[in-house]
Amino acid sequence: MNDLDSLLAQAASEFDAAPTAAELENAKARFLGKSGRVTELLKGLGALSPEEKKSRGADINRLKTAIEQALQARREALADAELQAQLKAQALDVTLPGRQRGQGSLHPVSRTIERIEAIFGSMGFDVAEGPEIETDWMSFTALNNPENHPARSMQDTFYVDVKDAEGRWLNLRPHTSPMQVRYARMHAATHAGQDPMPEIRVIAPGRTYRVDSDATHSPMFHQCEGLWIGEHISFKDLKVVFTDFLRRFFEDDGIETRFRPSYFPFTEPSAEIDMMFATGPLKGRWLELAGSGQVHPNVVRNYGLDPERYIGFAFGMGPDRLTMLRYGVSDLRLFFENDLRFLSQFR
Ligand code: DAH
């Protein structure tokens, strides 16, 4: 092996031994740099005769090319290795179970409320929402609720430690009925001077609160108020509307309703609405569903309307109970415990 061949072998072995691109460039400088071995060889040419210079010069140039090729080969090998390492570090293990995105869905009671809104909406009812913290007047007085009525008492109603303008404790509304008054007053004001006033037709679903807790009562529960007021609205309209609503809600045209005389301070006469399924596991049993009645003249007056002229009905039902009946749920508390094993069944 002549000196040039051995220099090539040395360069190739140093290149191969360089573990990184930076060290490879250092090795390159040792051979091809300004004071590198090949450069030194070229400088030595000056001392040779023209004949020798020619053949030695050509040999050194070949060596230089060969060293550059070895360098390039190592550069590519290093770049390739780096890419492979990178790919390996970012590798996906396709056999790992995926991380699932939680699939959200509406709460069953929300679904019921949307359903109620859609059905009453199709019958021309507006949907209203109102405050959950109410004044004493809205929750009780305006609704013809006597001072000594039990719904007003501390055992039943949650009170807030803040007084309203009349010096009475605010309450967590124990029913959605105040929305009758809020909505009707707003409606009357909006249409003041219009004769006759356009009818009031509204439902008001929302959260309500009472000091009560067992399998069928929760301190927070839902109600949906309904109100239809005009010049000629009668109990017959209530029967038709509510029966139609139930048949559509439960998709059972055989459902029967029964209006059982009852008492509420804000209606006269008052009735409990019972229903009976024509099919299914509850078939043949009367189920209590809602309170209702013809709105009391005192309440119509509190709407800001003339009770001699405007008349109609109100009802209050429980979306929680409708949900229990629709899905066959026996314990109301399941709705409010937020157990995903329960809730995910309604997806
Ligand atoms: N507010 C009543 C309650 O919570 C339910 C009710 C009864 C509402 C009769 C009405 C009604 O609008 O007319 O028990």
Side-chain angles (χ1 to χ4, degrees), residues 77-143:
L78 279 178
D80 198 47
E82 194 183 338
L83 181 67
Q84 291 304 328
Q86 224 174 50
L87 287 177
K88 203 170 160 195
Q90 298 169 351
L92 282 181
D93 181 349
V94 294
T95 64
L96 275 177
R99 239 176 267 148
Q100 289 196 340
R101 185 96 68 91
Q103 205 185 32
S105 60
L106 280 185
H107 189 279
V109 174
S110 300
R111 288 171 70 144
T112 294
I113 291 175
E114 288 201 346
R115 204 171 160 77
I116 294 170
E117 291 175 0
I119 296 170
F120 276 100
S122 77
M123 296 193 270
F125 280 72
D126 196 3
V127 178
E129 276 183 35
E132 290 170 29
I133 297 179
E134 264 299 3
T135 62
D136 198 75
W137 191 80
M138 283 290 180
S139 284
F140 303 115
T141 315
L143 293 162

Side-chain angles (χ1 to χ4, degrees), residues 14-34:
E14 286 192 29
F15 291 165
D16 285 347
T20 65
E23 285 181 57
L24 180 60
E25 294 312 305
N26 288 340
K28 171 198 165 186
R30 287 198 292 278
F31 293 92
L32 302 175
K34 252 192 190 148

Side-chain angles (χ1 to χ4, degrees), residues 174-177 180 210 223 225-226 264 266-267 271 290-293 314-316:
H175 52 183
T176 46
S177 302
Q180 290 181 27
R210 276 182 215 177
Q223 280 198 347
E225 198 75 10
F264 298 101
F266 30 90
T267 44
S292 68
F315 60 82

Side-chain angles (χ1 to χ4, degrees), residues 66-254:
I67 290 180
E68 278 167 352
Q69 280 169 354
L71 175 69
Q72 191 53 30
R74 181 59 183 160
R75 275 187 184 142
E76 283 167 17
L78 279 178
D80 198 47
E82 194 183 338
L83 181 67
Q84 291 304 328
Q86 224 174 50
L87 287 177
K88 203 170 160 195
Q90 298 169 351
L92 282 181
D93 181 349
V94 294
T95 64
L96 275 177
R99 239 176 267 148
Q100 289 196 340
R101 185 96 68 91
Q103 205 185 32
S105 60
L106 280 185
H107 189 279
V109 174
S110 300
R111 288 171 70 144
T112 294
I113 291 175
E114 288 201 346
R115 204 171 160 77
I116 294 170
E117 291 175 0
I119 296 170
F120 276 100
S122 77
M123 296 193 270
F125 280 72
D126 196 3
V127 178
E129 276 183 35
E132 290 170 29
I133 297 179
E134 264 299 3
T135 62
D136 198 75
W137 191 80
M138 283 290 180
S139 284
F140 303 115
T141 315
L143 293 162
N144 200 35
N145 230 307
E147 287 283 339
N148 56 356
H149 193 277
R152 237 171 159 136
S153 81
M154 292 289 179
Q155 293 85 54
D156 211 12
T157 304
F158 287 108
Y159 283 88
V160 181
D161 201 3
V162 174
K163 288 185 175 170
D164 62 22
E166 295 182 318
R168 291 176 172 273
W169 301 111
L170 294 173
N171 59 78
L172 294 186
R173 63 179 181 188
H175 52 183
T176 46
S177 302
M179 281 308 293
Q180 290 181 27
V181 187
R182 286 186 177 275
Y183 186 90
R185 289 171 75 87
M186 190 184 72
H187 183 95
T190 305
H191 299 284
Q194 245 171 294
D195 195 8
M197 174 193 77
E199 287 183 353
I200 294 172
R201 222 180 290 171
V202 66
I203 58 165
R207 280 183 284 270
T208 44
Y209 303 83
R210 276 182 215 177
V211 185
D212 216 349
S213 189
D214 59 38
T216 52
H217 297 89
S218 147
M220 189 285 302
F221 58 105
H222 296 86
Q223 280 198 347
C224 181
E225 198 75 10
L227 181 66
W228 190 346
I229 299 287
E231 286 182 297
H232 309 286
I233 309 304
S234 74
F235 232 94
K236 171 202 72 188
D237 299 298
L238 169 61
K239 283 190 163 187
V240 170
V241 161
F242 208 86
T243 306
D244 191 36
F245 160 71
L246 289 174
R247 290 181 179 163
R248 288 166 68 181
F249 183 87
F250 290 108
E251 297 167 275
D252 177 353
D253 282 341

